[in-house]
Amino acid sequence: MERIIITGALGQIGTELTLKLRERYGEENVLPTDIKEPEDEQLKGKPFEILDVRDMDRLKEIAATFKPDTIMHMAALLSATCEKDPQLAWDINMGGLVNALELSREFSLQFFTPSSIGAFGPSTPKENTPQVTVQRPTTMYGVNKVAGELLCDYYFEKFGVDTRGLRFPGLISHVKEPGGGTTDYAVEIYFEAIRTGRYTSYIDKDTNMDMMYMDDAIDATIKLMEADASRLEDRNAFNVTAMSINPEMVANEIRKHIPAFEVDYDVDPVRQGIAESWPNVIDASHAVRQWDFEPKYNLAKMTEIMLEAIRNK
Ligand code: SER
C-alpha cells in the first residue's frame, strides 16, 4: 500500500481515513474522491477528484492518471437511508463495489471495503456473534453487505485480487458526523450534550449494539491492509468491535462529566427494528488472532475525548 485512491472520502470514515493516510504515506500519495467538492478546511485546496462510483469510465480515467496501487472503497449509503430507497441503495452500494473490484482486477490494486454488523440478521446468534455464522439480514443495507462480502471473497479466489475488509460496528467520531445510519445516535448524543444539554434518542434505552471509536477503526483498517497475507484466513469481513453499549450507558457516562445531562426517548420503529435485528456483541477473536487487532478506547475514555473535542469546536 503506497499510492491510494479513496472513494466516499467525504463520509464519516473517509474524512478521517484521508487525513491519517496522508500523514502516513504522504499527501501526494493519497487521492480522495467523492460526489461533491470538499468543504472541510483540512481537505480543501488539496488533491481531490469528483467521482460518482457508479461511473466506471471516470473511475478508470482517475486511476490511469494517478496510478494507484490500492483502492479503499468507502462510498455507500447507510442502513436507514437504504430502507428509504432500496433500489438506489442497490445501485450505489453494489454498482460502486463491482466497479471498484473490477478496477482492482484490471489495475492490480490492493482493495479494502468495509462490511458491517448490518450483515447479520435476526436469526444470527446475538451474543458473541461468531466470525462465521448465519447471515440472513432483513435490510437492503445488510443484503448489500452480505453480497459484498461474498463478492470480495470471489475476487480473491477467482482473480487473485488482494481484497481485505472489516465488519465495522457503529463508529463514533467528532470530526465528521455520520448520516443515515442506525448507530448515529451514539454520535449525536455527544454533540447534543454539549450543544443543548439534552438528547432525545430514537433508539430505546436498553438496546445494545457494538461500537468503536474512529481512531480504533482507522488503525484497524491500516493494520489489516499492512498485515502479512499469509496469516489471513478470513481476509474479508473480519468482525471488529470495542464495546457493546446502549443509549442509557452512554448517557450515564456523559453524566459523569455533565451531571445535568437529560435524555428522553422517542423510539423510531424503523431504526429500532434494524437495531434489534443486529447482534448485541460480536466476537472479534479472528481479527485478534490473524492480524493482532487491539482497540484502545473503551466507553469511558472515548466519552472523555468526544466531549472535550466537541467543546473545543
Ligand atoms: N453505522 C452503520 C449504520 O448504522 C452500521 O454499519 O448503518
Side-chain angles (χ1 to χ4, degrees), residues 12 77-80 115-118 141 145 168-171 178 180-184 209 274 278:
Q12 190 203 10
L77 300 184
L78 290 183
S79 56
S115 184
S116 158
I117 50 170
Y141 181 69
K145 288 302 187 191
F168 278 135
L171 298 181
T182 300
T183 57
D184 295 8
M209 285 184 276
I274 296 175
W278 291 354

